Amino acid sequence: VMELSMGYQGGVRAFQKMGANYGVVVSDDRAEELKSAWREAHPSVVSGWWELQGAAIQAVRSPGMKVPVYGGRVSYLCQHGFLWCRLPSMRVLAYASPSIIWTEPTAERKSRPQVQFYGVDSMTKKWGPNRLYGGLQCENIVQAVARDVLVESMFRLEAAGYPLVLTVHDENICEMPNGQGSVEELSEIMSIVPDWADGLPVAVSAWEDFRYVK
């Protein structure tokens, strides 16, 4: 529950929402303690959130200037009405109509700059203003990189004679005639790390059956 709710800068509300799905019930005070403990145990993740957020703010404030982050594997550029995030694969994510706004000050926190962009709200499913923050940026990048790694494996499987008939989240499903192909070979093909993702740990767990199973 802690990993799922806090890995992308979630707090008490995110923990309680995720905990409800797993039957975990704690007080808000305890959830706050768990949040602090998780962040103290993962300082590199936390600093990465602020690094991403700072890069996005700098890019929006300086249109046309590329702002690298994560050792240059990712970069931000504000141009032509979008904030662009270049991924390690060289594919880009786009945030429409970016601007800098200032958060409301609270008793614990001063007002600070934040990037606002327009997109579909994940809760209301309607188009409107959204706020970009480090945890959300991290989530977008992680999910996009995972997608890029998976897609490259799709092309390798097809080229090796494993026809794809379905994909489900992080799964590739291939339909093979009896006696052709193997779980071991499929796993080996999917485990290949793209050049642009050098150093990324990739593990594959494959299965074989006469129908799709979950």
Side-chain angles (χ1 to χ4, degrees):
V1 171
M2 291 176 69
E3 295 294 333
L4 292 172
S5 63
M6 298 177 180
Y8 297 128
Q9 211 173 345
V12 171
R13 186 169 56 181
F15 181 90
Q16 297 292 35
K17 184 177 179 180
M18 185 64 67
N21 296 331
Y22 290 87
V24 177
V25 180
V26 300
S27 67
D28 284 354
D29 288 342
R30 179 55 179 160
E32 180 66 31
E33 292 175 356
L34 292 172
K35 182 198 79 172
S36 297
W38 191 94
R39 293 186 180 185
E40 288 176 7
H42 300 82
S44 295
V45 175
V46 174
S47 63
W49 297 335
W50 295 113
E51 189 179 353
L52 288 170
Q53 184 166 313
I57 292 171
Q58 185 179 357
V60 174
R61 283 176 166 171
S62 305
M65 182 179 77
K66 184 172 71 173
V67 182
V69 69
Y70 285 178
R73 285 181 177 265
V74 174
S75 62
Y76 286 91
L77 173 70
C78 187
Q79 200 169 49
H80 306 307
F82 288 88
L83 173 64
W84 306 95
C85 174
R86 192 193 70 183
L87 302 167
S89 65
M90 305 304 289
R91 190 165 67 91
V92 295
L93 304 179
Y95 301 92
S97 304
S99 62
I100 300 295
I101 61 172
W102 287 82
T103 61
E104 290 292 330
T106 66
E108 298 82 18
R109 184 180 299 164
K110 295 180 180 179
S111 178
R112 60 189 182 191
Q114 194 170 31
V115 173
Q116 177 178 274
F117 69 98
Y118 279 77
V120 176
D121 186 279
S122 61
M123 299 299 293
T124 66
K125 308 302 180 184
K126 294 181 179 180
W127 181 267
N130 291 267
R131 295 190 178 188
L132 201 59
Y133 59 94
L136 177 59
Q137 293 170 250
C138 180
E139 180 181 19
N140 291 168
I141 292 168
V142 168
Q143 297 293 345
V145 167
R147 174 265 178 201
D148 291 345
V149 170
L150 186 69
V151 166
E152 291 209 12
S153 74
M154 293 178 183
F155 285 100
R156 290 196 302 271
L157 287 171
E158 289 276 359
Y162 286 80
L164 281 160
V165 295
L166 180 66
T167 63
V168 181
H169 298 298
D170 58 354
E171 292 181 292
N172 288 332
I173 295 93
C174 301
E175 190 172 58
M176 301 290 291
N178 288 336
Q180 294 186 23
S182 68
V183 167
E184 293 75 20
E185 184 179 36
L186 183 143
S187 297
E188 183 178 346
I189 293 170
M190 288 190 62
S191 296
I192 297 173
V193 178
D195 291 339
W196 55 263
D198 183 43
L200 180 70
V202 175
V204 178
S205 177
W207 51 268
E208 182 177 11
D209 212 317
F210 290 102
R211 53 165 291 172
Y212 178 70
V213 296
K214 192 67 177 175

